[in-house]
Amino acid sequence: MSAPTVTRADIQQLLASTGEDPVLYLKAGPDNEGGPLEVDVWVSAYVSHARVLVHRHEVVDAIGDAPDDDDVDEYLSELEQTVEDVAAALA
């Protein structure tokens, strides 16, 4: 499966999440029942560890909880390899 692109909006959605230990993860299609990989945010307790890209607390540690666009863009470039690795493992 090809890896999707993580966007600023995805990082902002993760940072805005009020759930307990939210994560950015890959799901297979809109309902996670098959299809192209997509990026989504959910509570880590309900997401398979193998699908997790990053926990909210990791993003906050790296760029803070109110980063500017430049900080987010830099973080996205660092996250690219993780996205590729997780997508490859799910193939």
Side-chain angles (χ1 to χ4, degrees):
M1 293 184 175
S2 65
T5 301
V6 179
T7 65
R8 281 187 202 151
D10 295 322
I11 297 295
Q12 291 165 342
Q13 181 183 5
L14 176 62
L15 291 172
S17 177
T18 59
E20 187 174 328
D21 192 22
V23 295
L24 196 63
Y25 75 103
L26 295 183
K27 65 181 184 177
D31 296 321
N32 203 26
E33 295 180 1
L37 291 175
E38 299 176 0
V39 177
D40 203 359
V41 174
W42 194 238
V43 178
S44 68
Y46 300 113
V47 177
S48 166
H49 177 71
R51 295 181 172 277
V52 173
L53 300 172
V54 67
H55 290 255
R56 181 184 189 279
H57 66 86
E58 294 171 318
V59 174
V60 170
D61 287 349
I63 60 174
D65 57 2
D68 62 25
D69 287 346
D70 290 336
D71 291 335
V72 173
D73 289 345
E74 184 177 327
Y75 188 75
L76 288 172
S77 67
E78 295 172 16
L79 193 58
E80 284 180 31
Q81 187 59 52
T82 302
V83 176
E84 294 290 332
D85 293 345
V86 171
L90 296 174

